Amino acid sequence: MTQTTRQRTSQLIKAAVCVAVTVAIYMVPPPGGLEPRAMHMLAIFLGTILGLILQPLPTSAVAIIGLTIAMLTGAMDPKTEAFAGLGSASIWLIVAAFFIAQGFVKTGLGRRIALVFISLLGKSTLGISYGLSAADLLLAPATPSNTARLGGILFPIITSISDVQKSTPESDESRRRIGAYLAITANNVNAITSAMFITAMAAGPVVAQLAADSDVTIGWGTWALAGIVPGVLCLLIIPALVYKVYPPTIKHVPSAQSDARKELKELGRLSVKEWIMAATFVVMLVLWATGSMTGISATTVAFLGVAVLLVSGIITWKDMAANTSAWSTLIFFGVLVGMATPINKLGVAEWAGEIIAQATDGLPWMAVLALLTVCYFLMHYLFAAELAQAVALYTLFLGVAVAAGAPPAASALMLGCTTGLIGAMTHYASGPAALIYGAGYVKTPEFLKIGFLCGIVSVAVWLTVGMGWWKIIGIW
């Protein structure tokens, strides 16, 4: 059997599993309180989610097939429900984010920012890691595509440093010199920065929208203020923790700082386009941070940034049209958000929430929120993207927490931040994780071990220090 034949056989088996699960749930008589359409919609939605996990076809293809089945069976109304998600402002914010990330890459401003931090902190391997972490933190608020942030801006710096130190994926001895440490640390740091801002990951705006649908408003400034203390603490802990349990064989890199300064000197002064990109970046940050006062939505700010980049020639329509990730994301996420909406309207989430609520009945709300957060984190082993899990589970878990007496704002933020923290726990957890894994520096067992350890530590920090900080600033 050839490799192509094996791949096709595997795809057919995965597709058959998705169909079987969908049909089985579809045929189950609806429990008390649910109408048949609710059960049918739940079956199709879960089958689609399973397809996103197993991936018998690309994600967008799976989403379109799920949407088609929902329309054919009458589970979704083609006129009022099926395409509603494609018009979501949150989805278009994600699309705009891909174009903004293109600006950082095309102008070279992102690389320059990373080099500045390395020139200041790059004397040791640990110092380089902290320098990359600082760069990720600075870029995070304005690059909602965490894959673009790590893959397009920071990862090329990591590979450049590794190559200079003769650390490549070719052998265990070579990769462990410095490349493996920098790669796995950057992946886990990226998950932390993704949890610190609404606009630091694709799932952030969708989480905010799902919270709003549950009558909980999370502004950009509120999320940023809530995330800054636990986030910065995790950014201090994680590089040192990975350094301890997964140390590089090269501890000191005296040439890294000089190499970074040399490259910065070769780059010269900021170009006109870099200045425009920097100014756009700062203005977007200010407008996002003051959105609750100005009334300007995050999506409007993002498209203002895109418009400036288009007018200035930093990006072109040809660049945007060729950005298949942006348009695939529009279809994939738009369809999923659209499919999740009728499930909530038909009472499925409320029904499932009652079951979970019964299991946690009588526990203090703090314990319920902690258990739900840990459970939400661990369930990501079943998902291949942060957003897919958020769409499937966020509203349900938020409803259970609030029903148990947990403060709505604290619950919404805790689950929202955890949606970012889950992005590094497996090699298929997110776009950045897949990118790091595919580079070959980190083996599967190492990836899972470090991802689980860093994830649990980060969740613990958010549940303890984070909750304490939120009490001080009045979130609960």
Side-chain angles (χ1 to χ4, degrees):
M1 183 181 294
T2 65
Q3 183 176 357
T4 301
T5 302
R6 285 196 297 269
Q7 289 176 343
R8 289 177 178 175
T9 301
S10 175
Q11 288 177 319
L12 288 173
I13 293 173
K14 292 175 180 178
V17 170
C18 295
V19 171
V21 169
T22 302
V23 172
I25 300 175
Y26 193 94
M27 299 302 292
V28 172
L34 289 182
E35 59 180 279
R37 189 166 83 95
M39 204 65 188
H40 297 165
M41 191 63 237
L42 177 62
I44 296 168
F45 183 70
L46 291 178
T48 303
I49 293 296
L50 184 60
L52 298 177
I53 297 170
L54 299 179
Q55 292 192 316
L57 292 171
T59 53
S60 293
V62 171
I64 289 174
I65 291 171
L67 178 65
T68 302
I69 294 172
M71 290 189 292
L72 284 173
T73 58
M76 294 185 76
D77 186 338
K79 295 182 179 180
T80 61
E81 296 176 329
F83 303 101
L86 295 173
S88 168
S90 299
I91 301 301
W92 281 100
L93 172 56
I94 298 169
V95 174
F98 281 96
F99 304 143
I100 294 166
Q102 281 182 293
F104 271 102
V105 175
K106 285 195 68 178
T107 61
L109 179 62
R111 182 177 182 85
R112 185 188 292 271
I113 291 171
L115 288 170
V116 168
F117 282 108
I118 291 172
S119 69
L120 297 173
L121 303 170
K123 185 174 294 186
S124 67
T125 302
L126 185 59
I128 292 175
S129 182
Y130 278 117
L132 291 168
S133 299
D136 195 328
L137 176 61
L138 181 61
L139 294 167
T143 49
S145 170
N146 53 8
T147 304
R149 186 166 71 249
L150 180 57
I153 298 173
L154 297 175
F155 191 65
I157 302 295
I158 293 173
T159 56
S160 298
I161 294 172
S162 300
D163 288 342
V164 169
Q165 299 302 322
K166 296 181 174 56
S167 179
T168 67
E170 295 178 0
S171 68
D172 287 344
E173 180 183 1
S174 179
R175 68 182 179 85
R176 287 301 301 271
R177 287 171 65 84
I178 188 173
Y181 168 75
L182 292 179
I184 195 65
T185 304
N187 183 52
N188 283 280
V189 163
N190 186 259
I192 296 166
T193 57
S194 296
M196 293 176 68
F197 308 95
I198 284 180
T199 49
M201 61 173 172
V206 175
V207 163
Q209 182 62 54
L210 292 173
D213 292 341
S214 300
D215 298 321
V216 183
T217 300
I218 307 176
W220 191 95
T222 300
W223 190 315
L225 181 62
I228 194 68
V229 169
V232 169
L233 180 57
C234 285
L235 290 177
L236 293 173
I237 292 173
I238 293 304
L241 175 63
V242 179
Y243 191 84
K244 179 70 174 179
V245 301
Y246 190 68
T249 55
I250 295 179
K251 301 294 193 298
H252 300 282
V253 192
S255 64
Q257 284 181 305
S258 59
D259 290 341
R261 289 170 183 152
K262 180 181 178 181
E263 185 169 346
L264 283 170
K265 186 176 181 179
E266 292 173 352
L267 288 174
R269 296 181 178 182
L270 269 72
S271 65
V272 173
K273 288 188 175 181
E274 282 181 289
W275 275 113
I276 295 173
M277 188 70 235
T280 303
F281 169 78
V282 172
V283 171
M284 290 173 64
L285 280 181
V286 172
L287 290 176
W288 272 327
T290 59
S292 59
M293 294 181 288
T294 63
I296 303 176
S297 72
T299 304
T300 301
V301 173
F303 272 90
L304 173 61
V306 173
V308 171
L309 299 185
L310 283 169
V311 170
S312 62
I314 288 176
I315 61 174
T316 65
W317 171 249
K318 187 176 181 180
D319 295 327
M320 295 170 64
N323 194 328
T324 55
S325 296
W327 303 117
S328 295
T329 300
L330 172 64
I331 294 173
F332 164 50
F333 292 152
V335 168
L336 280 184
V337 170
M339 292 178 71
T341 301
I343 288 181
N344 293 332
K345 290 183 178 178
L346 292 169
V348 175
E350 183 179 352
W351 165 74
E354 290 177 357
I355 296 176
I356 300 176
Q358 290 175 1
T360 57
D361 186 37
L363 293 176
W365 71 260
M366 188 75 79
V368 173
L369 182 57
L371 288 172
L372 288 172
T373 301
V374 173
C375 182
Y376 188 86
F377 172 81
L378 294 176
M379 288 189 71
H380 196 60
Y381 281 106
L382 302 177
F383 291 87
E386 303 104 323
L387 189 56
Q389 175 164 335
V391 171
L393 300 178
Y394 180 84
T395 301
L396 172 62
F397 276 59
L398 176 58
V400 173
V402 173
S411 302
L413 279 168
M414 184 60 68
L415 293 171
C417 292
T418 305
T419 302
L421 298 177
I422 60 180
M425 59 190 294
T426 68
H427 54 298
Y428 56 86
S430 64
L435 181 148
I436 292 295
Y437 179 76
Y441 285 102
V442 186
K443 302 302 181 184
T444 303
E446 300 167 344
F447 206 107
L448 295 174
K449 174 186 174 183
I450 302 300
F452 176 79
L453 176 62
C454 292
I456 287 296
V457 169
S458 297
V459 169
V461 169
W462 246 269
L463 284 171
T464 53
V465 175
M467 286 297 288
W469 168 239
W470 295 356
K471 180 66 174 177
I472 293 173
I473 62 179
I475 289 178
W476 64 277

